[in-house]
Amino acid sequence: MSRWRQHVEEADMHARVNIIFGDRDRVEDGVARLEDVDRTAVEVAAGNRGLVTMVDRAAGVIVAVSYWDEPTHSSDAALTRARDSAAAAAGGDLVVEGYEVAFREGAPVADPGAAVRLARMRVDPSQVDAALAFLREALPRLRSRAGFAGAEVLVDRGVGAGLLVTVWATDDDAEGAAAVLERLRDDAARRAGAVFPGTEAYTLVRARVPAAAG
C-alpha cells in the first residue's frame, strides 16, 4: 500500500526533472540502466535528498526526479554522465528541467506499479504565489479520493512554470479522480490564472524521498 504523511509540509528542496524520450523497444534497457547503475551515483552524491523514477512504456518515456538541498549539487559531472548513459541506453534524447519543491503531502513510500499523474502548470510569474496558495488550499479535495497516495507541487518562479504530481494506488484510482482534478484545474484558472495545458500518465518504477528538513 502506498503511504504518505497526512499533512501538507513545506519542503526546502529543489528538484531536477530528467525526461528521456526513448525508443519504445529500448525503454526497459533505459529503466534497467537507471535503476541498476545510475541510481547509486545519484543517491550517494553530495546534497541528494532522493530519487523517484517513472515510465510510460507505450510512449518510450522515462522520467527521473532527483531531489537536492541546493540546485547546484545536481550539476556534478558524474551525475551528468549518469543522465546521459540512461538516455543512451533507452536510445533517446534527454530534457532536463529545474524546480523548487513548493510543498508536498509528506514523503512518499509508494509501491512499484503505482499510477503517477504529472500535470503541467503555466501561470504569470506575478501570480505564482496566488497559484501556490490555491493549490495548498485545494489539496484536501484529493485526500478523500480512493487510492490517493500523495501529491507534490514543483515550481519555477522565474518563468511561471510548475508541475502538480499526484500518486495513486492504481490506474483505476487515478482515472476515478480525473473529474476532481479537472475541477481543481478550472478553479485554479479562475482564482489565480493558472492553466494546466496537459497531463502525463506514468507508472512508478521506484521512489525514495526522505521527509523534508525542518
Side-chain angles (χ1 to χ4, degrees), residues 105-124:
E105 181 77 358
V109 183
D111 293 334
V116 182
R117 295 296 182 265
L118 189 157
R120 292 188 172 273
M121 179 180 75
R122 298 291 179 188
V123 63
D124 188 285

Side-chain angles (χ1 to χ4, degrees), residues 66-85:
S66 57
Y67 298 86
W68 305 90
D69 55 13
E70 294 290 344
T72 55
H73 284 150
S74 64
S75 300
D76 181 271
L79 300 177
T80 298
R81 288 194 297 273
R83 289 190 289 264
D84 290 344
S85 68

Side-chain angles (χ1 to χ4, degrees), residues 1-4 52-57 63 108-119 142 145-152 164-178 181 199-207:
M1 174 72 85
S2 299
R3 303 180 301 279
W4 287 55
V52 174
T53 52
M54 61 194 82
V55 63
D56 177 350
R57 291 181 170 87
V63 178
V109 183
D111 293 334
V116 182
R117 295 296 182 265
L118 189 157
L142 304 181
R145 300 297 307 185
F148 177 67
E152 177 175 75
L164 169 61
V165 184
T166 58
V167 185
W168 306 88
T170 68
D171 279 316
D172 286 344
D173 292 328
E175 291 305 312
L181 283 168
T199 300
E200 303 160 21
Y202 296 98
T203 300
L204 185 71
V205 176
R206 185 178 173 190

